[in-house]
Amino acid sequence: MEKSLYTGGCLCGAVRYEVSGAGRHLCYCHCESCRRASGSPAVAWGTFDRNGFRVTRGTLAEFRSSEPVQRGFCAACGSSLTYSHAARPAEIDVTLATLDEAGELAPQMHVWVADKLPWARIEDGLPQLPRGTENTLP
Ligand SMILES: [Zn+2]
Ligand SMILES: [Zn+2]
């Protein structure tokens, strides 16, 4: 049985969340927006049902990184936590690396590889999509 309740939070602990249900579309996103939002060459994301997501401490600060996209983060420490796309109102993406048990959900593919930094090497054998799926517009 796959675990169905995950907890997570930001670096400083001001924002804590929980998310239930199965994570899907687990991926590394190499798009420029994710890179700049996180300060890292790629971001690992998992998609969950929005009604299973709940902030349990603090407040999610939000930034609109493009017309349809809201990125949620901790206003105190800057950790990148969530991604919401207007085309997928019933879903929310969560940064897999901020889960407390981050080792449990491993990315299954790379998306937006067309934006990948030349020095970022992909050597894990996972599928590489040049852009997103309909799920992963930046
Ligand atoms: Zn924080
Ligand atoms: Zn991205």
Side-chain angles (χ1 to χ4, degrees):
M1 276 292 282
E2 206 167 327
K3 191 176 156 187
S4 66
L5 179 69
Y6 298 92
T7 57
C10 67
L11 174 61
C12 77
V15 179
R16 297 282 306 162
Y17 66 83
E18 65 180 32
V19 65
S20 61
R24 52 193 182 273
H25 197 264
L26 309 179
C27 66
Y28 291 101
C29 185
H30 296 263
C31 83
E32 184 178 357
S33 296
C34 285
R35 288 197 269 116
R36 290 190 186 273
S38 65
S40 64
V43 179
W45 293 107
T47 299
F48 294 85
D49 291 338
R50 176 174 293 276
N51 62 17
F53 178 85
R54 196 162 72 85
V55 174
T56 54
R57 184 196 300 162
T59 308
L60 203 56
E62 290 195 296
F63 171 71
R64 188 171 292 279
S65 62
S66 68
E67 181 56 34
V69 173
Q70 289 259 35
R71 290 174 184 268
F73 61 99
C74 171
C77 72
S79 290
S80 185
L81 298 170
T82 64
Y83 173 107
S84 301
H85 197 291
R88 300 187 283 118
E91 297 182 331
I92 189 165
D93 299 343
V94 173
T95 48
L96 295 178
T98 62
L99 295 171
D100 294 333
E101 294 175 88
E104 291 191 2
L105 290 177
Q108 304 295 312
M109 69 183 117
H110 295 263
V111 300
W112 288 96
V113 173
D115 280 4
K116 185 181 74 61
L117 295 174
W119 49 260
R121 292 218 180 130
I122 300 175
E123 295 174 333
D124 54 19
L126 295 173
Q128 300 182 28
L129 307 185
R131 304 194 177 282
T133 63
E134 72 287 351
N135 237 347
T136 56
L137 304 168

